[in-house]
Amino acid sequence: MSSSVQTQPQVHIPSESHTEASLLSRPEGCTYQVTYEITTQTLYVEGHQERLEWLVVDDNSTLMLQWSQRSAPPLPALLAAIEGAFAFHPGAVALRLQLPTVLHPTLCANGIAVKDSHGKLWAYAELFWQLPTLWLTSPSISPYPQQPILENGKRHPRRPPRPSGTVYQRHIAWLNATLSFRVLDLELDLERFNRWMNDPVVAHFWEEQGDLQQHRERLESTLQNPSVVPLIGCIDGEPFGYFETYWAKEDRIGAYYDVGDFDRGWHVLIGEAAFCGRPYVAAWLPSISHYLFLDDCRTQRLVIEPRVDNAKMLRNLAQCGYAHVKAFDFPHKRAMLGMQLREHFFNERSWVPLPPHPGSAPRPDPRFTL
């Protein structure tokens, strides 16, 4: 490792027309309102019975989060403060931390922070956004143990039991709303799924029009498949779309590329017209990728296979970090294999898309390195 930290370019500060910015952070099951007073560079983290204060120092070369008290802040509140500092300075790739030394071993052991050769403590966006306890509602303590099994002529790892309820939550600054994914509930979501599938726009790409009974049987089959997790996307609790996530090795797509044991894939339909458009794509597309990478730290690639003539989807995928690998023929359609690498997603901070999508942030170069 190098002994120095390279100079960081000018980081982005929220619009000067606003003196305050805020977000909801949910580390380790706690909910905090994080508020940033831009003029004083003060960050407030407010929970159920606490209001903690940090100073965010930006000297155009280093972004620093300072805690002035001798006693250590609670770890969840600290995580919320770090998330806020990165969210309100989306161009930053690293954050210098000034904290009581009693916290240092825990932060370093869990990948929350890294010490440089001078003993200074740094949080890196690339590492921080891989911490599942900030966005997953019930993160696994450790990866599900591996046991190879043979199923339907395919050898793959045994998959963990399907989760239930809400699995992922993320505050979306440009919507001032919470995006979440919850596991599909057959009785709650059947009529909605049926309406969405019969929408002409959705039907053009999915080709799964049908009556309620057909869709009940279709979803029952999906819910019996251990390699598939069907999700409902919501904005502030209001359902807007269906996301069908799957382990690629057990899926038909696995025959069309060199599939890995923990590759994941997904399909999507947006069923509510009110939630179409760039601001929403910029929220859900990076977030479904983020969820799948957080769900198992061994997942190194995500794949998707939209129809090759779905130009809008292909463009959005490219702006959110997916490479167009190749066109290929399924029995029912000609598709484009899109692929997102874990290293690319976190290194390039693809949780916010490239311009002109809302929420886009500068990608500074050179990067911070230790």
Side-chain angles (χ1 to χ4, degrees), residues 240 270-277:
F240 70 88
I270 304 303
E272 303 294 342
F275 294 95
C276 293

Side-chain angles (χ1 to χ4, degrees), residues 73-133:
L75 181 59
L78 172 59
L79 293 173
I82 296 173
E83 182 184 3
F86 278 130
F88 303 135
H89 295 78
V93 295
L95 176 67
R96 170 86 184 280
L97 303 176
Q98 285 197 348
L99 297 165
T101 55
V102 67
L103 284 172
H104 292 196
T106 297
L107 298 180
C108 293
N110 290 281
I112 300 167
V114 177
K115 278 190 176 181
D116 66 17
S117 59
H118 302 290
K120 296 178 180 179
L121 200 66
W122 296 86
Y124 286 87
E126 183 176 357
L127 285 173
F128 188 78
W129 276 75
Q130 294 185 62
L131 300 175
T133 58

Side-chain angles (χ1 to χ4, degrees), residues 209-228:
Q209 306 95 310
D211 60 28
L212 209 61
Q213 183 59 31
Q214 286 175 284
H215 287 143
R216 175 181 290 276
E217 293 172 0
R218 194 264 197 214
L219 290 178
E220 286 175 343
S221 176
T222 299
L223 289 168
Q224 290 169 5
N225 186 341
S227 69
V228 178

Side-chain angles (χ1 to χ4, degrees), residues 5-238:
V5 177
Q6 297 179 9
T7 300
Q8 177 189 350
Q10 174 76 37
V11 295
H12 172 74
I13 299 294
S15 170
E16 293 181 0
S17 63
H18 298 86
T19 60
E20 196 174 271
S22 65
L23 64 80
L24 283 177
S25 180
R26 299 177 176 86
E28 300 186 353
C30 303
T31 299
Y32 292 97
Q33 179 77 38
V34 184
T35 305
Y36 181 47
E37 290 189 357
I38 298 167
T39 53
T40 62
Q41 295 190 343
T42 305
L43 192 74
Y44 298 98
V45 175
E46 297 181 71
H48 180 59
Q49 294 180 324
E50 57 191 344
R51 187 174 192 264
L52 306 178
E53 179 180 328
W54 276 265
L55 188 64
V56 180
V57 179
D58 171 29
D59 64 3
N60 296 333
S61 62
T62 300
L63 185 67
M64 185 182 304
L65 183 68
Q66 294 181 339
W67 174 256
S68 59
Q69 300 181 32
R70 289 187 177 181
S71 59
L75 181 59
L78 172 59
L79 293 173
I82 296 173
E83 182 184 3
F86 278 130
F88 303 135
H89 295 78
V93 295
L95 176 67
R96 170 86 184 280
L97 303 176
Q98 285 197 348
L99 297 165
T101 55
V102 67
L103 284 172
H104 292 196
T106 297
L107 298 180
C108 293
N110 290 281
I112 300 167
V114 177
K115 278 190 176 181
D116 66 17
S117 59
H118 302 290
K120 296 178 180 179
L121 200 66
W122 296 86
Y124 286 87
E126 183 176 357
L127 285 173
F128 188 78
W129 276 75
Q130 294 185 62
L131 300 175
T133 58
L134 279 105
W135 296 279
L136 300 191
T137 54
S138 299
S140 299
I141 298 174
S142 59
Y144 193 76
Q146 287 184 247
Q147 180 189 26
I149 61 174
L150 188 65
E151 190 175 44
N152 298 322
K154 297 178 181 178
R155 186 177 187 271
H156 60 83
R158 184 183 296 278
R159 304 305 182 186
R162 180 182 293 109
S164 61
T166 299
V167 295
Y168 176 94
Q169 296 181 102
R170 176 187 170 197
H171 180 84
I172 306 298
W174 55 93
L175 298 178
N176 191 27
T178 294
L179 179 143
S180 61
F181 299 119
R182 62 170 175 80
V183 177
L184 178 138
D185 181 304
L186 183 60
E187 299 309 318
L188 179 65
D189 298 311
L190 176 59
E191 290 187 6
R192 179 181 295 115
F193 181 86
N194 172 256
R195 174 169 57 84
W196 287 350
M197 279 296 187
N198 286 298
D199 180 279
V201 176
V202 173
H204 174 71
F205 292 105
W206 279 70
E207 300 179 341
E208 290 194 40
Q209 306 95 310
D211 60 28
L212 209 61
Q213 183 59 31
Q214 286 175 284
H215 287 143
R216 175 181 290 276
E217 293 172 0
R218 194 264 197 214
L219 290 178
E220 286 175 343
S221 176
T222 299
L223 289 168
Q224 290 169 5
N225 186 341
S227 69
V228 178
V229 180
L231 302 172
I232 298 295
C234 302
I235 297 290
D236 279 347
E238 184 175 352

